[in-house]
Amino acid sequence: MRYPRLPYRHLLLALLIAPACMNACAWSRMAYAEVRMVNGLPCFSISKKEEKRNGIPQIGALNLSDLSVKPAIKLWSFIMPVMVTIPVRASSCILYGVAPAGAETRPAPPLKSGRLYDVFLNGRPDDPSDPTRGYIGKFCLAAKAGGGHELVVVTSDMREWIDETCPVSSPSK
């Protein structure tokens, strides 16, 4: 017995499979972390715009990596205990090397000039319908003439973001 040919069998198959992957195909969003210097160390937060848009996120972990080497090396991180998160406001920040109370962490090594660093704040806003799943930022440190470091933020519209390099000359603040 021969089965009749279905001229649109691929379309029919796609229509039958589509509802099954609706949840698996959900959209997610990565927002930008804000990086600033506080007492000579990088400090990580969200922007005022992000807070206004989505409220105060709850962070469960932070990871800082050195992207100047391949593969990238995790330098410092912390993770909160299960079901414990901390709020991160635009007006506050998490200082490099200083983990929140109760977090699992290890000592943070000193950061070096001329290296590209990537920070990831693992968390999300309270609104379950918000697709934000984390906050990412990239930055370099440039040596200052009198000692110490100057922060050079690398934004997603810069070529260095894609190339994973530090800008040749730091932008003036």
Side-chain angles (χ1 to χ4, degrees):
M1 176 174 167
R2 258 189 103 134
Y3 294 103
R5 288 186 58 121
L6 295 174
Y8 300 106
R9 68 177 175 243
H10 296 318
L11 178 61
L12 179 62
L13 183 60
L15 289 173
L16 291 172
I17 292 174
C21 83
M22 293 290 271
N23 288 336
C25 300
W27 292 91
S28 65
R29 171 181 177 266
M30 295 299 286
Y32 296 110
E34 193 160 281
V35 183
R36 58 183 177 258
M37 290 295 265
V38 174
N39 299 325
L41 291 173
C43 208
F44 315 110
S45 187
I46 61 166
S47 68
K48 289 178 185 176
K49 179 181 175 183
E50 188 65 32
E51 185 174 311
K52 186 176 182 180
R53 176 185 175 188
N54 291 318
I56 300 166
Q58 300 295 315
I59 304 299
L62 180 147
N63 185 56
L64 188 125
S65 300
D66 182 346
L67 299 180
S68 300
V69 293
K70 303 296 181 229
I73 299 171
K74 184 187 339 184
L75 294 180
W76 179 69
S77 65
F78 72 76
I79 185 165
M80 299 300 293
V82 176
M83 302 301 290
V84 176
T85 58
I86 58 165
V88 176
R89 293 174 165 75
S91 60
S92 65
C93 63
I94 300 167
L95 196 61
Y96 174 71
V98 181
E104 181 182 318
T105 189
R106 62 180 185 189
L111 299 178
K112 300 174 184 173
S113 297
R115 303 191 75 86
L116 181 68
Y117 297 105
D118 169 269
V119 64
F120 177 67
L121 298 147
N122 188 353
R124 56 179 298 180
D126 282 332
D127 180 1
S129 68
D130 188 299
T132 304
R133 295 295 179 261
Y135 305 83
I136 189 167
K138 295 181 183 183
F139 67 97
C140 299
L141 297 177
K144 286 172 39 176
H149 293 102
E150 174 186 10
L151 179 70
V152 181
V153 175
V154 177
T155 58
S156 63
D157 60 346
M158 297 170 68
R159 181 70 191 181
E160 290 83 359
W161 180 280
I162 296 166
D163 293 345
E164 295 187 340
T165 59
C166 288
V168 175
S169 60
S170 63
S172 58
K173 289 195 168 200

